[in-house]
Amino acid sequence: MSTVESYDPEPSDRRDPLIAGLGALATGAPAGLLDRVAARWVRVDAAIGDVYVAMTDQGVAYLRAEQDEDEFAASFRSRFARPLLPGGSPPPALVRALRTGRAEGLHLDLRGLRPFEAAVLRAAATIPRGEIRPYAWIAERIGRPKAVRAVGTALGRNPVPLLIPCHRVTRSDGLIGQYVFGMPAKERLLRMEHVNLDEVGTLAAKNVYFVGSDTTGVVCYPSCRDARRITPAHWHGFRTLGQAERAGYRPCRHCRPGGAAP
Amino acid sequence: MTDTDTRLPIVAALTEDLDTGFVALFDAYRDLVFSAALRLCGRWADAEDLTAEAFLRAYRALAGYEPQRIESLRPRPWLMTIVANLWRNTARSAARHPPPAPLEAAPEAADPAEPTEQAAERSETGRELAALLGELPEEQRLAVVLRHVADLPIAEIATILGAPEGTVKSHISRGLKRLRLLYPGSSR
């Protein structure tokens, strides 16, 4: 290597305009940069009791009902590998979402999810309050009709239960199915949202999974708001969607029934 | 400037609790990391990305370190090594996949992401000099920025760049020489 005539001024040499100019290029970091890296946790009173919520600058990233903040922090870190710092008071949109089950206007940070998981959760997020859909419905919605079991796994990993209502996804056979906060919590939530669980169960026991109205010619899931308006005189039950379609019914545009019988 | 006074409380905090320690690390070095990142990247938004990514990588590395490794950590050169490597990688992948040519490529064009107060404080010549740094080859640019913007000692820059001190000095000299040719009013 050729030797360069070495002129090495100290950075403090302000008589040299170039050195002074370079020194003046140092600048302060903008405010809020820490929140690009670290998440903040808050505790919020939710329908199922107190939950811990972690938020990034993008939105709500994680919600769990752990024993205490240490357990929540450990679970957050093992999943996200980001620092977790205490947050201030929870944002009003979050409090409202957890109190009412309506998550409109609340930003979610779902960056850590695989595309399949994200698709499953986006589909689950469309299920209206007061209604339920089978796992197979989600699988069909996302174009992976055979991936029913994987749908269940993805819902079980839902980072933001309650905010993405994975509790509204139940088994095709009328049973309520697994839940990240346990089956009793799932049933309690669905009853709070006025899902007609008892009716769905009674119909399933009689092998009825779809119901139609002969005035509208439309067939629905039994929890669909349209199905619940059918008067007894015009009510018809079906075991499969195919049976209903052969009888001249078309699938409801709200609940979009699909899939096979269990 | 010595880093020893800053180092000890950070290492102590990191040993005590990773997340509290991380905030201490962030607070101590955010301005240093951001200044270096801004003068390496040249654009405010890229510098924010690089700073955030470097600190996140630092956190993830620390989470996997044994306590002895944290106790012997020299946070400043360690952190700046992450910054330098990250910048080299981004610069190289950007060179392989060049973005579409910017419409406002003029060096005096204001950085759209830079807050206006900061931009107003900075002189025209400062912006010009910042743009000229982009003319330097990678290692010269790193050496000049770490030495004269970040104000780090030669020995520490040698650690950061993984090069002998002589090589670092040579990068700095060559870099300054080139800047003097390009920077009006700086001839000595």
Side-chain angles (χ1 to χ4, degrees):
Chain A
M1 188 196 296
S2 68
T3 49
V4 173
E5 193 51 53
S6 184
Y7 166 64
D8 178 27
E10 282 297 311
S12 56
D13 187 356
R14 298 286 142 148
R15 290 161 305 172
D16 181 334
L18 176 61
I19 300 306
L22 287 169
L25 289 181
T27 182
L33 209 45
L34 181 58
D35 290 315
R36 295 271 309 264
V37 185
R40 307 268 178 182
W41 71 265
V42 293
R43 205 166 110 178
V44 190
D45 179 21
I48 56 154
D50 277 1
V51 295
Y52 291 92
V53 181
M55 292 166 296
T56 69
D57 60 336
Q58 305 285 302
V60 177
Y62 199 49
L63 183 156
R64 286 294 182 266
E66 308 288 9
Q67 287 293 323
D68 54 38
E69 60 191 69
D70 288 342
E71 203 177 293
F72 176 71
S75 143
F76 173 85
R77 280 179 206 120
S78 72
R79 181 161 173 165
F80 293 89
R82 273 178 190 276
L84 183 65
L85 309 174
S89 50
L94 175 64
V95 175
R96 192 178 57 240
L98 289 174
R99 196 169 294 150
T100 64
R102 289 180 184 85
E104 294 89 11
L106 187 71
H107 292 282
L108 302 176
D109 179 358
L110 301 178
R111 285 174 297 177
L113 296 174
R114 288 186 281 272
F116 177 84
E117 294 174 323
V120 166
L121 295 180
R122 271 197 300 274
T126 65
I127 307 172
R129 189 179 163 83
E131 301 188 19
I132 52 177
R133 303 283 183 271
Y135 292 95
W137 179 85
I138 301 262
E140 207 156 276
R141 285 262 74 75
I142 64 170
R144 298 282 301 278
K146 293 201 173 110
V148 179
R149 187 175 287 268
V151 164
T153 309
L155 291 171
R157 270 179 49 82
N158 180 3
V160 286
L162 303 176
L163 302 175
I164 288 181
C166 57
H167 61 276
R168 294 180 196 152
V169 186
T170 59
R171 287 170 46 146
S172 314
D173 61 8
L175 293 177
I176 200 162
Q178 300 291 324
Y179 187 45
V180 55
F181 298 143
M183 259 189 271
K186 187 171 186 173
E187 178 166 351
R188 211 160 63 237
L189 277 169
L190 293 176
R191 289 192 188 282
M192 255 188 275
E193 297 181 357
H194 305 294
V195 176
N196 52 344
L197 278 186
D198 296 326
E199 189 186 351
V200 170
T202 310
L203 291 174
K206 291 187 267 182
N207 271 328
V208 170
Y209 302 103
F210 301 92
V211 302
S213 152
D214 60 21
T215 48
T216 60
V218 168
V219 60
C220 303
Y221 285 120
S223 70
C224 176
R225 60 180 183 272
D226 291 352
R228 294 172 72 174
R229 280 202 293 262
I230 306 173
T231 53
H234 299 284
W235 187 99
H236 296 272
F238 301 96
R239 190 173 70 82
T240 67
L241 186 63
Q243 280 179 352
E245 286 175 326
R246 280 192 294 280
Y249 290 80
R250 67 153 179 87
C252 167
R253 289 202 185 92
H254 292 131
C255 67
R256 306 212 271 180
Chain B
M1 187 180 89
T2 167
D3 189 38
T4 320
D5 299 344
T6 324
R7 176 187 172 263
L8 290 173
I10 292 169
V11 169
L14 283 170
T15 317
E16 184 74 21
D17 176 86
L18 180 59
D19 291 38
T20 318
F22 175 79
V23 175
L25 179 81
F26 182 87
D27 285 342
Y29 298 118
R30 61 180 174 192
D31 292 345
L32 176 78
V33 170
F34 184 75
S35 287
L38 180 60
R39 300 317 166 194
L40 290 170
C41 300
R43 296 164 73 108
W44 194 272
D46 293 345
E48 287 190 354
D49 289 351
L50 183 66
T51 306
E53 185 62 25
F55 274 109
L56 183 59
R57 286 186 187 215
Y59 177 84
R60 288 178 177 168
L62 288 168
Y65 284 179
E66 298 293 327
Q68 307 92 288
R69 178 139 190 213
I70 291 184
E71 274 161 34
S72 62
L73 191 73
R74 292 170 59 217
R76 192 171 69 179
W78 175 79
L79 188 58
M80 295 310 283
T81 305
I82 298 177
V83 173
N85 289 340
L86 208 49
W87 176 70
R88 284 194 192 108
N89 292 341
T90 359
R92 273 165 209 171
S93 75
R96 272 196 301 275
H97 314 283
L103 292 174
E104 60 333 359
E108 57 278 339
D111 187 330
E114 180 175 4
T116 37
E117 326 78 89
Q118 259 108 342
E121 273 177 29
R122 199 176 319 292
S123 63
E124 278 294 308
T125 49
R127 273 210 296 279
E128 195 180 341
L129 182 55
L132 289 179
L133 283 168
E135 303 287 317
L136 299 184
E138 228 172 66
E139 294 305 297
Q140 287 181 22
R141 186 172 186 177
L142 269 168
V144 168
V145 166
L146 293 176
R147 179 71 174 142
H148 289 290
V149 179
D151 198 7
L152 299 183
I154 299 280
E156 202 166 315
I157 300 172
T159 308
I160 294 165
L161 299 188
E165 290 192 20
T167 310
V168 170
K169 283 185 186 164
S170 147
H171 284 323
I172 296 170
S173 298
R174 286 165 191 264
L176 291 180
K177 195 172 170 193
R178 183 157 170 78
L179 288 177
R180 282 187 205 288
L181 289 175
L182 301 165
Y183 187 48
S186 77
S187 53
R188 272 176 78 95

